[in-house]
Amino acid sequence: MTERRRCHWLALALVAFLLAGCGDSGESDALLTDYQQRLAESLGLEPPAPERPDNIGSFPDKRERLLEIPETRDGLLNVYALRECHITNLVAERNNQLGRVAPASQRWLYELELWRRLDACWNSEVPERLSDADRERLARLTETKAEQLPRVSWNALFDSSEWAGSFSRASSPLSPEETHPHGDQLAALAYLRDATLHQFDPDWQPDSATLEGHLQTLQTRPFSAELLRTLMLAEQRLEEASELLEHALQRRCSRLSGFPEALHQSPEYARLQDWLTRLEETAGSWLAAIDELFAAQVEGPDAVADYRRRWLSPEASEAPLQAFAAARERHASLQESLARRCR
């Protein structure tokens, strides 16, 4: 290695170290920039100066991501008239001080239980014993709560700090050893999806402790944000490396040294490819699980739909997963073109 190239590589290492201290780099960036250095050496070129990757977009503000639900108001005497529906105590609990400050997830459980009691009451013999006005009130209240429940379910998820925290911009890329989500985070996504799909199923019984436990599981780490930042980091470093290959394609093959055999046979290259493959597989399964959770929900606000399409889509070309996959495919194609040209 020439003295000039050695100094250049030390400068790049210093930049990578400084970026790691900012929480925007780390072991994954070191693995990628090391590959850039080895590739540059095999091509007889100077390695690129790695640029700082962009951060993910901001998750929509609370007021932008929640659905409006009109408050249902009725007099105590009217509620008491429906006492055979066993909703009196439930309404009283909701209207007390603790009920008014309950988290959105608990408000969803309350609305779910209220609708179930109303629905069971409507399909019983009770309406026959009610006055016309009370029977009409029961029908209207049952229908209203049924219409509102999917919106309450949406707010239960998108008003939770655990879910919003999954997309925190104050996050770092995953290390090569942290490709998989921690603990039962995938199971948590599956439970939240099932809870949404089965909320109108009388045979499905919700459990407050289980619901809160799964939300807490998501809070153990902002895996969605970390995964997206890792995809963006890898995409950028691969694109920078692809520029080396494009430059090499314009030069004579005699300038190559150890490309591609020596480069591809190194353990560092094998580790990189293994990590990139695991990263793509994990991102595919994680984003698919999030997509299924979204699909189970009622249609949300435009701000959330835009965020989902731009950052969380498993298929959109501008979203991080497909952008990373395209960068990886382009890089492999350029390698093949150069190797075929210089056989």
Side-chain angles (χ1 to χ4, degrees):
M1 183 185 297
T2 65
E3 185 64 27
R4 178 185 175 189
R5 186 171 295 170
R6 183 179 294 108
C7 292
H8 186 84
W9 174 237
L10 288 174
L12 292 179
L14 178 60
V15 170
F17 174 78
L18 292 174
L19 287 177
C22 295
D24 288 331
S25 186
E27 295 179 47
S28 295
D29 203 9
L31 187 62
L32 289 160
T33 52
D34 178 72
Y35 167 68
Q36 289 181 343
Q37 169 69 16
R38 294 174 183 277
L39 176 64
E41 289 179 1
S42 69
L43 299 176
L45 296 169
E46 291 290 332
E51 296 184 4
R52 185 172 185 170
D54 293 332
N55 201 343
I56 60 174
S58 298
F59 198 57
D61 292 337
K62 183 175 180 177
R63 58 184 174 80
E64 295 179 312
R65 64 177 187 260
L66 298 186
L67 293 171
E68 184 177 354
I69 303 173
E71 187 172 354
T72 304
R73 293 182 176 274
D74 215 332
L76 291 177
L77 290 178
N78 292 334
V79 173
Y80 184 73
L82 302 179
R83 59 190 176 279
E84 289 189 77
C85 296
H86 308 291
I87 65 171
T88 309
N89 291 339
L90 195 61
V91 172
E93 291 174 5
R94 172 65 178 87
N95 289 334
N96 66 25
Q97 186 173 1
L98 290 177
R100 291 181 179 277
V101 298
S105 55
Q106 294 301 308
R107 293 199 294 273
W108 172 66
L109 291 177
Y110 160 81
E111 292 288 342
L112 177 60
E113 180 60 24
L114 177 59
W115 171 78
R116 287 186 171 187
R117 292 190 189 185
L118 289 168
D119 185 68
C121 187
W122 178 252
N123 290 286
S124 69
E125 298 177 353
V126 171
E128 299 177 3
R129 298 193 291 269
L130 297 175
S131 67
D132 291 345
D134 289 336
R135 185 163 51 252
E136 182 183 350
R137 181 176 294 106
L138 174 59
R140 185 175 64 252
L141 189 57
T142 304
E143 182 180 2
T144 297
K145 290 302 176 183
E147 291 175 351
Q148 290 180 350
L149 192 56
R151 300 169 69 85
V152 177
S153 175
W154 171 279
N155 286 354
L157 180 62
F158 282 87
D159 195 21
S160 67
S161 59
E162 296 91 347
W163 180 245
S166 298
F167 309 100
S168 170
R169 301 182 81 230
S171 56
S172 302
L174 298 163
S175 75
E177 287 72 34
E178 294 179 315
T179 313
H180 299 291
H182 277 195
D184 298 323
Q185 289 187 309
L186 271 174
L189 293 180
Y191 177 86
L192 294 172
R193 172 181 175 271
D194 289 344
T196 304
L197 291 174
H198 294 292
Q199 58 187 331
F200 288 108
D201 180 1
D203 294 329
W204 180 78
Q205 296 301 320
D207 177 75
S208 176
T210 302
L211 174 61
E212 297 300 334
H214 281 302
L215 288 173
Q216 287 296 323
T217 296
L218 292 179
Q219 200 174 35
T220 57
R221 70 178 305 166
F223 188 76
S224 294
E226 293 175 337
L227 183 63
L228 295 175
R229 296 205 67 183
T230 310
L231 291 170
M232 294 173 68
L233 169 66
E235 177 205 353
Q236 179 159 325
R237 295 293 177 259
L238 287 172
E239 291 290 4
E240 291 166 351
S242 291
E243 291 180 7
L244 289 174
L245 293 170
E246 287 186 327
H247 188 51
L249 281 166
Q250 301 172 8
R251 307 172 76 203
R252 292 184 179 181
C253 293
S254 60
R255 308 288 289 272
L256 303 184
S257 175
F259 179 88
E261 290 79 9
L263 178 69
H264 289 182
Q265 292 172 4
S266 67
E268 293 83 6
Y269 184 81
R271 183 186 178 214
L272 174 65
Q273 293 306 312
D274 175 68
W275 171 58
L276 293 177
T277 298
R278 286 187 288 110
L279 175 61
E280 188 166 356
E281 291 173 350
T282 298
S285 61
W286 180 260
L287 293 175
I290 290 182
D291 204 54
E292 290 173 355
L293 175 55
F294 269 96
Q297 298 281 345
V298 70
E299 184 177 354
D302 291 342
V304 176
D306 292 342
Y307 187 92
R308 177 188 179 188
R309 180 172 52 254
R310 173 63 183 87
W311 299 103
L312 303 176
S313 172
E315 300 175 352
S317 59
E318 70 272 18
L321 175 56
Q322 288 304 319
F324 160 74
R328 192 180 181 196
E329 182 177 351
R330 174 172 175 260
H331 188 72
S333 178
L334 287 170
Q335 279 198 19
E336 184 179 346
S337 295
L338 185 59
R340 186 169 55 249
R341 175 176 174 271
C342 296
R343 280 177 184 159

